[in-house]
Amino acid sequence: MRLVFAGTPEFSVAALDALVAAGHEIVGVYTQPDRPFGRGQKLTPSPVAQRASALGLAVHKPVSLRKEPEALATLRALAPEAMVVVAYGQILPQSVLDIPRLGCLNIHASLLPRWRGAAPIQRAILAGDAETGVTIMRMDAGLDTGPMLLWESLPIGEMTAGELHDALMPMGARLIVEALRRLEAGTLPDVPQPAEGVTYATKLSKDEARIDWSLPAEEIARRIRGYNPVPGAWSLLAGERIKLLRANALPGTEAAVAGAVLANDKGGFRVGCGSDQLLVTEHQRPGGRPQGGPLSGEAGENNLRFESASQ
């Protein structure tokens, strides 16, 4: 099939590779313009741009398909039969959606209509959902409101956002290849999204990732998983910003002063919460590497207490 592909982050790369491997003709790849990256803030192509260039595919980086008539004309001239969109980073106007004969298909990392929007992987973990998955959707002018074509679920368990991202990425790649095969054969009906159960996955912020120790330990554990690796759950200890990377709630443990470090040894450190206690098994100091065990340099010390976001 003659396709245009639109995507930007690492999550999109697996789908691009799968489409190429399936023999589709990728006549153009659209991605976000180069952005500053790393300590040197050097302008760097997106992961999709880098992979597309390595595959010898034509790469387009318009700032806005909505506001650039020449970019829209270029896309129209490519005459794709379908357009595959995976975390592109732009809302496509109707003028773009109308170009492909078979429509624009989106790989969305949730079980729609739950978690429409920007951060579905993290929000599913933060909410304590038992499962999530991938939905292949035919795009319309709304925010992830189009009819569903294929979907598949996956239990979340104790996965971090990074681990769940890596599990959903190949699932999306596999499902989009199957969706295009069935779409071309005319055996893939549109299924309207249910009117009930709609939730929205708003963007993440660094401020929301600051731990409020007055919350129950289980909720804090979910936040640590949901913000790993980005933006990273954190808390202040004696004015130092500590990232909390992995932790487990300890149900049935005695409530203690919120934020107080109750034990600090090679197994990690236990912290008092609004209810129960939390065992932090991996953390990171500013400028340091992730590490397990005790808070470095403070094993055995007493009266350690994290500041709470609610303070």
Side-chain angles (χ1 to χ4, degrees), residues 155-197:
I156 294 175
E158 299 297 310
M159 283 191 279
T160 65
E163 291 164 346
L164 187 54
H165 167 283
D166 291 349
L168 294 176
M169 185 166 54
M171 179 186 291
R174 173 171 50 80
L175 287 179
I176 192 61
V177 171
E178 174 64 13
L180 288 171
R181 184 189 69 79
R182 293 172 57 182
L183 187 67
E184 193 171 25
T187 60
L188 190 63
D190 289 3
V191 178
Q193 292 188 32
E196 302 80 23

mmCIF file of all heavy atoms in Angstrom, residues 155-197:
data_model
loop_
_atom_site.group_PDB
_atom_site.id
_atom_site.type_symbol
_atom_site.label_atom_id
_atom_site.label_comp_id
_atom_site.label_asym_id
_atom_site.label_seq_id
_atom_site.Cartn_x
_atom_site.Cartn_y
_atom_site.Cartn_z
ATOM 1 N N PRO A 155 -2.195 -6.619 30.657
ATOM 2 C CA PRO A 155 -2.204 -6.309 32.090
ATOM 3 C C PRO A 155 -1.014 -5.430 32.457
ATOM 4 O O PRO A 155 0.095 -5.614 31.946
ATOM 5 C CB PRO A 155 -2.110 -7.685 32.753
ATOM 6 C CG PRO A 155 -1.539 -8.594 31.711
ATOM 7 C CD PRO A 155 -1.986 -8.060 30.382
ATOM 8 N N ILE A 156 -1.239 -4.484 33.346
ATOM 9 C CA ILE A 156 -0.182 -3.544 33.735
ATOM 10 C C ILE A 156 0.711 -4.122 34.824
ATOM 11 O O ILE A 156 1.930 -3.963 34.789
ATOM 12 C CB ILE A 156 -0.802 -2.213 34.202
ATOM 13 C CG1 ILE A 156 -1.505 -1.531 33.024
ATOM 14 C CG2 ILE A 156 0.267 -1.285 34.780
ATOM 15 C CD1 ILE A 156 -2.256 -0.276 33.399
ATOM 16 N N GLY A 157 0.121 -4.785 35.795
ATOM 17 C CA GLY A 157 0.918 -5.343 36.889
ATOM 18 C C GLY A 157 1.709 -4.263 37.607
ATOM 19 O O GLY A 157 1.189 -3.198 37.940
ATOM 20 N N GLU A 158 2.993 -4.526 37.808
ATOM 21 C CA GLU A 158 3.869 -3.599 38.518
ATOM 22 C C GLU A 158 4.814 -2.865 37.560
ATOM 23 O O GLU A 158 5.842 -2.336 37.987
ATOM 24 C CB GLU A 158 4.701 -4.361 39.562
ATOM 25 C CG GLU A 158 3.869 -5.052 40.630
ATOM 26 C CD GLU A 158 3.087 -4.056 41.470
ATOM 27 O OE1 GLU A 158 3.692 -3.086 41.957
ATOM 28 O OE2 GLU A 158 1.864 -4.240 41.621
ATOM 29 N N MET A 159 4.470 -2.807 36.289
ATOM 30 C CA MET A 159 5.359 -2.170 35.317
ATOM 31 C C MET A 159 5.480 -0.662 35.557
ATOM 32 O O MET A 159 4.517 0.003 35.940
ATOM 33 C CB MET A 159 4.874 -2.419 33.886
ATOM 34 C CG MET A 159 5.180 -3.789 33.351
ATOM 35 S SD MET A 159 4.882 -3.951 31.558
ATOM 36 C CE MET A 159 3.103 -4.219 31.575
ATOM 37 N N THR A 160 6.673 -0.143 35.286
ATOM 38 C CA THR A 160 6.862 1.302 35.241
ATOM 39 C C THR A 160 6.343 1.809 33.896
ATOM 40 O O THR A 160 6.067 1.037 32.973
ATOM 41 C CB THR A 160 8.339 1.671 35.367
ATOM 42 O OG1 THR A 160 9.051 1.178 34.212
ATOM 43 C CG2 THR A 160 8.959 1.071 36.626
ATOM 44 N N ALA A 161 6.242 3.125 33.770
ATOM 45 C CA ALA A 161 5.804 3.701 32.498
ATOM 46 C C ALA A 161 6.766 3.336 31.379
ATOM 47 O O ALA A 161 6.348 3.064 30.251
ATOM 48 C CB ALA A 161 5.678 5.218 32.622
ATOM 49 N N GLY A 162 8.054 3.303 31.683
ATOM 50 C CA GLY A 162 9.031 2.932 30.668
ATOM 51 C C GLY A 162 8.879 1.493 30.218
ATOM 52 O O GLY A 162 8.963 1.187 29.021
ATOM 53 N N GLU A 163 8.627 0.600 31.161
ATOM 54 C CA GLU A 163 8.440 -0.809 30.817
ATOM 55 C C GLU A 163 7.146 -1.027 30.039
ATOM 56 O O GLU A 163 7.098 -1.824 29.091
ATOM 57 C CB GLU A 163 8.455 -1.639 32.097
ATOM 58 C CG GLU A 163 9.825 -1.690 32.762
ATOM 59 C CD GLU A 163 9.780 -2.175 34.204
ATOM 60 O OE1 GLU A 163 8.668 -2.219 34.796
ATOM 61 O OE2 GLU A 163 10.858 -2.498 34.761
ATOM 62 N N LEU A 164 6.090 -0.308 30.429
ATOM 63 C CA LEU A 164 4.826 -0.435 29.713
ATOM 64 C C LEU A 164 4.944 0.131 28.298
ATOM 65 O O LEU A 164 4.399 -0.443 27.347
ATOM 66 C CB LEU A 164 3.726 0.278 30.496
ATOM 67 C CG LEU A 164 2.293 0.126 29.987
ATOM 68 C CD1 LEU A 164 1.916 -1.341 29.833
ATOM 69 C CD2 LEU A 164 1.320 0.841 30.922
ATOM 70 N N HIS A 165 5.632 1.231 28.157
ATOM 71 C CA HIS A 165 5.925 1.804 26.835
ATOM 72 C C HIS A 165 6.582 0.770 25.938
ATOM 73 O O HIS A 165 6.176 0.549 24.789
ATOM 74 C CB HIS A 165 6.841 3.023 27.025
ATOM 75 C CG HIS A 165 7.485 3.551 25.786
ATOM 76 N ND1 HIS A 165 8.584 2.943 25.193
ATOM 77 C CD2 HIS A 165 7.224 4.643 25.029
ATOM 78 C CE1 HIS A 165 8.950 3.630 24.136
ATOM 79 N NE2 HIS A 165 8.142 4.666 24.003
ATOM 80 N N ASP A 166 7.579 0.073 26.472
ATOM 81 C CA ASP A 166 8.320 -0.912 25.675
ATOM 82 C C ASP A 166 7.470 -2.138 25.341
ATOM 83 O O ASP A 166 7.719 -2.808 24.335
ATOM 84 C CB ASP A 166 9.584 -1.342 26.424
ATOM 85 C CG ASP A 166 10.613 -0.223 26.510
ATOM 86 O OD1 ASP A 166 10.437 0.800 25.821
ATOM 87 O OD2 ASP A 166 11.587 -0.362 27.280
ATOM 88 N N ALA A 167 6.480 -2.437 26.169
ATOM 89 C CA ALA A 167 5.595 -3.570 25.893
ATOM 90 C C ALA A 167 4.533 -3.216 24.857
ATOM 91 O O ALA A 167 4.156 -4.054 24.028
ATOM 92 C CB ALA A 167 4.930 -4.036 27.190
ATOM 93 N N LEU A 168 4.048 -1.983 24.893
ATOM 94 C CA LEU A 168 2.994 -1.570 23.970
ATOM 95 C C LEU A 168 3.535 -1.231 22.585
ATOM 96 O O LEU A 168 2.801 -1.335 21.584
ATOM 97 C CB LEU A 168 2.250 -0.362 24.536
ATOM 98 C CG LEU A 168 1.452 -0.603 25.820
ATOM 99 C CD1 LEU A 168 0.847 0.714 26.306
ATOM 100 C CD2 LEU A 168 0.359 -1.639 25.603
ATOM 101 N N MET A 169 4.787 -0.851 22.502
ATOM 102 C CA MET A 169 5.373 -0.422 21.230
ATOM 103 C C MET A 169 5.303 -1.518 20.159
ATOM 104 O O MET A 169 4.779 -1.281 19.061
ATOM 105 C CB MET A 169 6.812 0.054 21.468
ATOM 106 C CG MET A 169 7.494 0.645 20.264
ATOM 107 S SD MET A 169 9.017 1.539 20.735
ATOM 108 C CE MET A 169 9.899 0.272 21.652
ATOM 109 N N PRO A 170 5.796 -2.747 20.415
ATOM 110 C CA PRO A 170 5.681 -3.789 19.391
ATOM 111 C C PRO A 170 4.244 -4.232 19.157
ATOM 112 O O PRO A 170 3.898 -4.677 18.060
ATOM 113 C CB PRO A 170 6.541 -4.930 19.944
ATOM 114 C CG PRO A 170 6.603 -4.705 21.411
ATOM 115 C CD PRO A 170 6.563 -3.224 21.592
ATOM 116 N N MET A 171 3.387 -4.136 20.178
ATOM 117 C CA MET A 171 1.978 -4.470 19.993
ATOM 118 C C MET A 171 1.339 -3.536 18.970
ATOM 119 O O MET A 171 0.620 -3.971 18.059
ATOM 120 C CB MET A 171 1.233 -4.382 21.329
ATOM 121 C CG MET A 171 -0.258 -4.687 21.220
ATOM 122 S SD MET A 171 -1.148 -4.415 22.790
ATOM 123 C CE MET A 171 -0.494 -5.756 23.782
ATOM 124 N N GLY A 172 1.604 -2.249 19.102
ATOM 125 C CA GLY A 172 1.078 -1.290 18.143
ATOM 126 C C GLY A 172 1.585 -1.532 16.747
ATOM 127 O O GLY A 172 0.838 -1.423 15.765
ATOM 128 N N ALA A 173 2.869 -1.876 16.616
ATOM 129 C CA ALA A 173 3.456 -2.147 15.305
ATOM 130 C C ALA A 173 2.789 -3.350 14.652
ATOM 131 O O ALA A 173 2.483 -3.341 13.447
ATOM 132 C CB ALA A 173 4.956 -2.380 15.453
ATOM 133 N N ARG A 174 2.547 -4.387 15.442
ATOM 134 C CA ARG A 174 1.912 -5.590 14.904
ATOM 135 C C ARG A 174 0.466 -5.314 14.493
ATOM 136 O O ARG A 174 0.005 -5.754 13.427
ATOM 137 C CB ARG A 174 1.984 -6.705 15.956
ATOM 138 C CG ARG A 174 1.206 -7.961 15.596
ATOM 139 C CD ARG A 174 1.496 -9.088 16.566
ATOM 140 N NE ARG A 174 1.374 -8.700 17.959
ATOM 141 C CZ ARG A 174 0.218 -8.612 18.612
ATOM 142 N NH1 ARG A 174 -0.914 -8.865 17.967
ATOM 143 N NH2 ARG A 174 0.194 -8.289 19.895
ATOM 144 N N LEU A 175 -0.258 -4.567 15.323
ATOM 145 C CA LEU A 175 -1.666 -4.310 15.051
ATOM 146 C C LEU A 175 -1.867 -3.412 13.828
ATOM 147 O O LEU A 175 -2.824 -3.592 13.069
ATOM 148 C CB LEU A 175 -2.337 -3.686 16.269
ATOM 149 C CG LEU A 175 -2.596 -4.603 17.461
ATOM 150 C CD1 LEU A 175 -3.244 -3.824 18.600
ATOM 151 C CD2 LEU A 175 -3.473 -5.783 17.068
ATOM 152 N N ILE A 176 -0.968 -2.443 13.610
ATOM 153 C CA ILE A 176 -1.169 -1.560 12.454
ATOM 154 C C ILE A 176 -0.949 -2.315 11.153
ATOM 155 O O ILE A 176 -1.645 -2.079 10.153
ATOM 156 C CB ILE A 176 -0.264 -0.304 12.537
ATOM 157 C CG1 ILE A 176 -0.705 0.738 11.498
ATOM 158 C CG2 ILE A 176 1.194 -0.638 12.350
ATOM 159 C CD1 ILE A 176 -2.102 1.253 11.669
ATOM 160 N N VAL A 177 -0.019 -3.258 11.131
ATOM 161 C CA VAL A 177 0.187 -4.074 9.931
ATOM 162 C C VAL A 177 -1.057 -4.917 9.654
ATOM 163 O O VAL A 177 -1.524 -5.010 8.508
ATOM 164 C CB VAL A 177 1.438 -4.955 10.089
ATOM 165 C CG1 VAL A 177 1.534 -5.967 8.952
ATOM 166 C CG2 VAL A 177 2.695 -4.084 10.125
ATOM 167 N N GLU A 178 -1.624 -5.503 10.696
ATOM 168 C CA GLU A 178 -2.832 -6.304 10.526
ATOM 169 C C GLU A 178 -4.012 -5.433 10.096
ATOM 170 O O GLU A 178 -4.826 -5.833 9.241
ATOM 171 C CB GLU A 178 -3.153 -7.028 11.836
ATOM 172 C CG GLU A 178 -4.458 -7.801 11.854
ATOM 173 C CD GLU A 178 -4.495 -8.957 10.864
ATOM 174 O OE1 GLU A 178 -3.426 -9.338 10.328
ATOM 175 O OE2 GLU A 178 -5.602 -9.488 10.635
ATOM 176 N N ALA A 179 -4.122 -4.245 10.681
ATOM 177 C CA ALA A 179 -5.224 -3.350 10.337
ATOM 178 C C ALA A 179 -5.164 -2.951 8.868
ATOM 179 O O ALA A 179 -6.201 -2.945 8.171
ATOM 180 C CB ALA A 179 -5.188 -2.108 11.223
ATOM 181 N N LEU A 180 -3.994 -2.636 8.369
ATOM 182 C CA LEU A 180 -3.866 -2.250 6.967
ATOM 183 C C LEU A 180 -4.173 -3.422 6.039
ATOM 184 O O LEU A 180 -4.786 -3.250 4.984
ATOM 185 C CB LEU A 180 -2.463 -1.717 6.704
ATOM 186 C CG LEU A 180 -2.160 -0.334 7.301
ATOM 187 C CD1 LEU A 180 -0.678 -0.017 7.173
ATOM 188 C CD2 LEU A 180 -2.993 0.753 6.633
ATOM 189 N N ARG A 181 -3.762 -4.623 6.433
ATOM 190 C CA ARG A 181 -4.058 -5.806 5.614
ATOM 191 C C ARG A 181 -5.556 -6.001 5.486
ATOM 192 O O ARG A 181 -6.096 -6.217 4.382
ATOM 193 C CB ARG A 181 -3.406 -7.046 6.231
ATOM 194 C CG ARG A 181 -3.575 -8.314 5.399
ATOM 195 C CD ARG A 181 -3.099 -9.544 6.153
ATOM 196 N NE ARG A 181 -3.966 -9.851 7.279
ATOM 197 C CZ ARG A 181 -5.144 -10.469 7.174
ATOM 198 N NH1 ARG A 181 -5.620 -10.816 5.977
ATOM 199 N NH2 ARG A 181 -5.867 -10.727 8.259
ATOM 200 N N ARG A 182 -6.256 -5.900 6.609
ATOM 201 C CA ARG A 182 -7.700 -6.114 6.596
ATOM 202 C C ARG A 182 -8.445 -4.932 5.987
ATOM 203 O O ARG A 182 -9.497 -5.101 5.356
ATOM 204 C CB ARG A 182 -8.186 -6.391 8.014
ATOM 205 C CG ARG A 182 -7.654 -7.722 8.553
ATOM 206 C CD ARG A 182 -7.963 -7.948 10.008
ATOM 207 N NE ARG A 182 -9.398 -7.884 10.284
ATOM 208 C CZ ARG A 182 -9.919 -8.013 11.513
ATOM 209 N NH1 ARG A 182 -9.102 -8.218 12.549
ATOM 210 N NH2 ARG A 182 -11.215 -7.941 11.694
ATOM 211 N N LEU A 183 -7.894 -3.736 6.161
ATOM 212 C CA LEU A 183 -8.515 -2.556 5.554
ATOM 213 C C LEU A 183 -8.471 -2.657 4.030
ATOM 214 O O LEU A 183 -9.466 -2.372 3.346
ATOM 215 C CB LEU A 183 -7.791 -1.296 6.027
ATOM 216 C CG LEU A 183 -8.400 0.050 5.623
ATOM 217 C CD1 LEU A 183 -9.732 0.257 6.316
ATOM 218 C CD2 LEU A 183 -7.431 1.185 5.977
ATOM 219 N N GLU A 184 -7.331 -3.064 3.508
ATOM 220 C CA GLU A 184 -7.176 -3.197 2.065
ATOM 221 C C GLU A 184 -8.102 -4.285 1.522
ATOM 222 O O GLU A 184 -8.617 -4.186 0.403
ATOM 223 C CB GLU A 184 -5.723 -3.506 1.729
ATOM 224 C CG GLU A 184 -5.374 -3.371 0.261
ATOM 225 C CD GLU A 184 -3.874 -3.471 0.018
ATOM 226 O OE1 GLU A 184 -3.174 -4.093 0.848
ATOM 227 O OE2 GLU A 184 -3.393 -2.919 -0.979
ATOM 228 N N ALA A 185 -8.345 -5.316 2.326
ATOM 229 C CA ALA A 185 -9.215 -6.414 1.897
ATOM 230 C C ALA A 185 -10.694 -6.096 2.102
ATOM 231 O O ALA A 185 -11.564 -6.875 1.693
ATOM 232 C CB ALA A 185 -8.852 -7.686 2.657
ATOM 233 N N GLY A 186 -10.973 -4.978 2.746
ATOM 234 C CA GLY A 186 -12.356 -4.606 2.996
ATOM 235 C C GLY A 186 -13.029 -5.394 4.091
ATOM 236 O O GLY A 186 -14.254 -5.517 4.117
ATOM 237 N N THR A 187 -12.238 -5.940 5.031
ATOM 238 C CA THR A 187 -12.794 -6.781 6.102
ATOM 239 C C THR A 187 -12.599 -6.164 7.490
ATOM 240 O O THR A 187 -12.564 -6.873 8.493
ATOM 241 C CB THR A 187 -12.138 -8.173 6.082
ATOM 242 O OG1 THR A 187 -10.717 -8.035 6.281
ATOM 243 C CG2 THR A 187 -12.385 -8.872 4.753
ATOM 244 N N LEU A 188 -12.467 -4.836 7.543
ATOM 245 C CA LEU A 188 -12.211 -4.177 8.824
ATOM 246 C C LEU A 188 -13.257 -3.085 9.051
ATOM 247 O O LEU A 188 -13.090 -1.942 8.624
ATOM 248 C CB LEU A 188 -10.804 -3.569 8.835
ATOM 249 C CG LEU A 188 -10.297 -3.052 10.179
ATOM 250 C CD1 LEU A 188 -10.191 -4.184 11.190
ATOM 251 C CD2 LEU A 188 -8.934 -2.380 10.025
ATOM 252 N N PRO A 189 -14.344 -3.406 9.743
ATOM 253 C CA PRO A 189 -15.395 -2.410 9.960
ATOM 254 C C PRO A 189 -15.023 -1.388 11.029
ATOM 255 O O PRO A 189 -14.259 -1.675 11.949
ATOM 256 C CB PRO A 189 -16.585 -3.262 10.422
ATOM 257 C CG PRO A 189 -15.955 -4.446 11.082
ATOM 258 C CD PRO A 189 -14.697 -4.723 10.298
ATOM 259 N N ASP A 190 -15.557 -0.188 10.894
ATOM 260 C CA ASP A 190 -15.410 0.834 11.921
ATOM 261 C C ASP A 190 -16.344 0.521 13.090
ATOM 262 O O ASP A 190 -17.504 0.158 12.887
ATOM 263 C CB ASP A 190 -15.773 2.208 11.365
ATOM 264 C CG ASP A 190 -14.742 2.742 10.380
ATOM 265 O OD1 ASP A 190 -13.778 2.009 10.094
ATOM 266 O OD2 ASP A 190 -14.893 3.883 9.917
ATOM 267 N N VAL A 191 -15.817 0.663 14.311
ATOM 268 C CA VAL A 191 -16.622 0.457 15.520
ATOM 269 C C VAL A 191 -16.631 1.768 16.304
ATOM 270 O O VAL A 191 -15.577 2.210 16.781
ATOM 271 C CB VAL A 191 -16.034 -0.671 16.396
ATOM 272 C CG1 VAL A 191 -16.864 -0.835 17.667
ATOM 273 C CG2 VAL A 191 -15.957 -1.975 15.625
ATOM 274 N N PRO A 192 -17.776 2.417 16.444
ATOM 275 C CA PRO A 192 -17.822 3.676 17.209
ATOM 276 C C PRO A 192 -17.353 3.475 18.638
ATOM 277 O O PRO A 192 -17.609 2.434 19.245
ATOM 278 C CB PRO A 192 -19.299 4.076 17.157
ATOM 279 C CG PRO A 192 -19.859 3.335 15.983
ATOM 280 C CD PRO A 192 -19.087 2.045 15.896
ATOM 281 N N GLN A 193 -16.665 4.458 19.175
ATOM 282 C CA GLN A 193 -16.246 4.378 20.571
ATOM 283 C C GLN A 193 -17.460 4.464 21.493
ATOM 284 O O GLN A 193 -18.408 5.202 21.213
ATOM 285 C CB GLN A 193 -15.279 5.516 20.902
ATOM 286 C CG GLN A 193 -13.939 5.417 20.207
ATOM 287 C CD GLN A 193 -12.951 6.459 20.727
ATOM 288 O OE1 GLN A 193 -12.990 6.845 21.898
ATOM 289 N NE2 GLN A 193 -12.059 6.910 19.846
ATOM 290 N N PRO A 194 -17.445 3.721 22.600
ATOM 291 C CA PRO A 194 -18.545 3.838 23.566
ATOM 292 C C PRO A 194 -18.656 5.256 24.106
ATOM 293 O O PRO A 194 -17.650 5.965 24.250
ATOM 294 C CB PRO A 194 -18.143 2.863 24.676
ATOM 295 C CG PRO A 194 -17.162 1.922 24.044
ATOM 296 C CD PRO A 194 -16.441 2.724 23.008
ATOM 297 N N ALA A 195 -19.866 5.678 24.396
ATOM 298 C CA ALA A 195 -20.082 7.013 24.957
ATOM 299 C C ALA A 195 -19.691 7.063 26.433
ATOM 300 O O ALA A 195 -19.382 8.134 26.971
ATOM 301 C CB ALA A 195 -21.539 7.421 24.794
ATOM 302 N N GLU A 196 -19.681 5.892 27.103
ATOM 303 C CA GLU A 196 -19.330 5.834 28.520
ATOM 304 C C GLU A 196 -17.841 5.530 28.687
ATOM 305 O O GLU A 196 -17.210 4.939 27.826
ATOM 306 C CB GLU A 196 -20.143 4.754 29.230
ATOM 307 C CG GLU A 196 -21.653 4.939 29.138
ATOM 308 C CD GLU A 196 -22.234 4.479 27.818
ATOM 309 O OE1 GLU A 196 -21.588 3.631 27.154
ATOM 310 O OE2 GLU A 196 -23.298 4.978 27.426
ATOM 311 N N GLY A 197 -17.306 5.916 29.824
ATOM 312 C CA GLY A 197 -15.929 5.563 30.163
ATOM 313 C C GLY A 197 -14.866 6.451 29.557
ATOM 314 O O GLY A 197 -13.697 6.079 29.507
#
